[in-house]
Amino acid sequence: MAWTREDMARRAAQELRDGFYVNLGIGIPTLVANFIPEGINVTLQSENGMLGMGPFPTEDEIDPDLINAGKQTITELDSTSYFSSADSFGMIRGGHIALSILGAMQVAENGDLANWMIPGKMVKGMGGAMDLVAGVKKVVVIMDHNARDGSAKFLKECTLPLTGVGVVDMIISDVGVFTIDDNGATLTELAQGVTVDEARQRTEANFKVAEDL
Amino acid sequence: MKKPYPEATSALEGVLFDGMTIMAGGFGLCGIPENLITALRDSGTQNITAISNNAGIDDFGLGLLLQTRQIKKMVSSYVGENKEFERQYLAKELELEFNPQGTLAERIRAGGAGIPGFYTKTGVGTLIAEGKEHKDFNGETYILETGLIADVSLVKAWKGDKEGNLIFRKTARNFNPMMATAGKITIAEVEELVETGELDPDQIHTPGIFVQRIIQSKDLEKRIEHRTTRKQGE
């Protein structure tokens, strides 16, 4: 019984601290907003120009001028402010955002991240991902531990074009939690029912295992 | 010189030419200059370099100019919503320069502010950094990015007055204010064009000096890409 998408999002929410300004990426990271722990007050930044993102609107609250970075309709809060894309990335690049949670195609054991391009195949673009990983203080990746064909995504070295070099601080996957720092990667938590052996089989990267596992 | 024009087609008269560079505001389909994009398509202008965060969708926004093959090159950060774009690019019918979104925003801001280049750590060690000057500050490596300007910038605002002062609304602001500053000629379309003096000077986002022509939008669609809702009471 490995972790589900919701389990991963719930675990990522444990990284939130009271008062944090946070940017959540598109996909599973967006779900983290549903699991913010009680008593923790965080402000969600949307890089298209909004601080203080509210929940999805009801049918009659829909406003085409109010979307998030995933182009989904959303709502504002009493605390909300709006600003230009230049100001938005000033916040990001300038180190004012505490935490970024995003998806990945590949992560390397030194924290390299690839999540924007498959040469010759997929041309979508990096959007704000390169700015986020370069400027935000802590970067957490949520991803399926393996690709659909079963191949490893947590690698010794990324084979896809990079989004950032040595930028990932933590990976939360269906297998468990890995932290990455100057000393390399460490498996710090296992998802229910997953063994260290299974984690090793499904991973190409070198990693240490935390003593309490 | 009077800034207000009756509609989009006349507002574009005399400023378009083949091979020109155009900036178009908007994030996805939010805050795009709908009337001006349609008029640009109808003008038949060819070989356009378009600087815009996204490429619209297949049948709306800048996607309209991709359908008619009027765009030679796009400078964008994300084009994932447009399948025709992907097809033209992979078939090498279209040039593409990807910029990280924040780098794109800052290049436009810099261009409009007369700053020819700046250093950023965004993209260091990636494809984006190839061929760019690297420089260390305080032990960290940065790359040199250049400012961007356009022959014509097309922007969308909520309200504007006859002096060209603009006020944006919610997340429809996005790239519009910077692009207004970076156009040799900037044309704004607004939902409500009011008399000079009706806007509170303290609330103006883009001062009229940056806007040369202005129109009131007609028949805006304001399409929504991902209509996402919650149930009442949730």
Side-chain angles (χ1 to χ4, degrees):
Chain A
M1 263 303 288
W3 278 343
T4 62
R5 289 160 52 108
E6 282 72 24
D7 293 333
M8 291 189 258
R10 189 177 289 113
R11 176 58 189 82
Q14 302 301 316
E15 298 305 308
L16 301 170
R17 299 289 175 271
D18 196 38
F20 265 18
Y21 292 94
V22 179
N23 185 292
L24 301 178
I26 295 161
I28 310 178
T30 307
L31 299 176
V32 175
N34 300 334
F35 300 106
I36 298 171
E38 205 150 321
I40 299 279
N41 193 7
V42 299
T43 304
L44 301 179
Q45 201 250 18
S46 190
E47 67 264 28
N48 54 318
M50 178 184 200
L51 204 53
M53 194 166 38
F56 293 132
T58 59
E59 246 342 288
D60 35 342
E61 285 173 338
I62 287 177
D63 183 341
D65 287 339
L66 184 42
I67 63 168
N68 64 17
K71 284 107 180 173
Q72 296 171 308
T73 45
I74 40 145
T75 57
E76 64 186 21
L77 304 169
D78 287 344
S79 60
T80 296
S81 57
Y82 299 108
F83 34 82
S84 73
S85 302
D87 284 343
S88 180
F89 283 93
M91 292 173 196
I92 290 166
R93 201 188 304 102
H96 305 281
I97 307 283
L99 177 66
S100 169
I101 303 178
L102 37 75
M105 296 175 190
Q106 296 179 337
V107 180
E109 60 192 38
N110 69 339
D112 287 359
L113 169 69
N115 74 350
W116 73 282
M117 183 189 193
I118 304 174
K121 258 194 194 166
M122 189 204 78
V123 194
K124 292 185 189 300
M126 71 292 283
M130 283 191 183
D131 309 279
L132 282 160
V133 299
V136 171
K137 291 192 189 106
K138 179 172 178 174
V139 174
V140 174
V141 160
I142 303 183
M143 67 176 191
D144 293 325
H145 199 76
N146 298 88
R148 277 193 200 135
D149 65 1
S151 60
K153 294 174 68 176
F154 186 22
L155 306 168
K156 291 190 169 73
E157 274 181 45
C158 295
T159 56
L160 294 171
L162 296 182
T163 307
V165 174
V167 292
V168 176
D169 299 297
M170 177 180 272
I171 302 172
I172 298 170
S173 76
D174 42 300
V175 160
V177 179
F178 298 83
T179 58
I180 301 175
D181 58 25
D182 293 344
N183 300 316
T186 308
L187 174 66
T188 58
E189 288 170 51
L190 279 169
Q192 210 178 359
V194 178
T195 62
V196 172
D197 277 350
E198 185 187 341
R200 287 216 187 276
Q201 275 165 21
R202 292 176 55 186
T203 307
E204 187 207 275
N206 295 302
F207 61 85
K208 297 186 282 286
V209 179
E211 280 176 15
D212 56 346
L213 279 188
Chain B
M1 197 185 82
K2 279 203 167 155
K3 293 184 179 180
Y5 280 67
E7 33 66 48
T9 305
S10 57
L12 289 177
E13 248 166 45
V15 301
L16 303 178
F17 57 93
D18 292 347
M20 71 187 302
T21 297
I22 285 191
M23 287 182 186
F27 181 92
L29 301 179
C30 182
I32 60 171
E34 293 183 21
N35 287 191
L36 290 165
I37 288 171
T38 305
L40 177 60
R41 179 196 62 185
D42 295 345
S43 75
T45 308
Q46 298 293 319
N47 290 320
I48 295 169
T49 295
I51 301 170
S52 188
N53 188 53
N54 311 96
I57 57 174
D58 288 52
D59 64 343
F60 202 55
L62 289 181
L64 295 173
L65 282 88
L66 287 168
Q67 279 182 353
T68 53
R69 308 293 182 90
Q70 285 166 272
I71 297 183
K72 180 187 69 172
K73 180 182 177 182
M74 288 281 322
V75 181
S76 303
S77 85
Y78 189 83
V79 296
E81 287 92 357
N82 194 315
K83 291 194 184 65
E84 174 62 13
F85 186 105
E86 199 165 22
R87 193 201 64 70
Q88 284 187 23
Y89 175 71
L90 290 173
K92 298 198 181 346
E93 296 167 9
L94 179 73
E95 291 171 55
L96 170 62
E97 180 187 322
F98 271 133
N99 280 201
Q101 195 175 136
T103 295
L104 181 62
E106 191 63 14
R107 290 184 72 191
I108 298 164
R109 195 194 70 80
I115 296 169
F118 60 92
Y119 292 95
T120 177
K121 61 183 170 186
T122 300
V124 171
T126 74
L127 289 176
I128 298 304
E130 284 179 11
K132 288 175 183 161
E133 186 198 324
H134 288 58
K135 189 167 178 164
D136 286 3
F137 295 89
N138 303 321
E140 263 205 273
T141 304
Y142 296 75
I143 53 173
L144 179 65
E145 295 282 1
T146 54
L148 284 173
I149 56 169
D151 295 306
V152 170
S153 281
L154 307 177
V155 303
K156 159 76 177 30
W158 178 40
K159 290 182 179 181
D161 69 17
K162 293 181 172 179
E163 291 295 316
N165 296 308
L166 303 178
I167 294 176
F168 304 95
R169 184 170 178 274
K170 302 188 188 284
T171 55
R173 188 182 318 187
N174 55 66
F175 281 80
N176 285 296
M178 294 87 72
M179 288 185 173
T181 70
K184 290 179 196 163
I185 294 169
T186 291
I187 308 174
E189 71 171 87
V190 299
E191 292 179 41
E192 208 180 322
L193 181 58
V194 302
E195 291 298 328
T196 301
E198 284 185 38
L199 301 179
D200 178 351
D202 266 334
Q203 302 302 322
I204 286 165
H205 298 128
T206 292
I209 188 171
F210 296 119
V211 177
Q212 282 69 49
R213 300 181 180 189
I214 189 166
I215 61 163
Q216 176 152 329
S217 303
K218 287 185 185 124
D219 305 320
L220 282 183
E221 275 193 58
K222 288 194 158 192
R223 275 200 217 173
I224 294 171
E225 269 176 80
H226 303 296
R227 204 181 178 86
T228 321
T229 57
R230 70 178 201 280
K231 294 215 173 64
Q232 200 86 40
E234 254 181 44

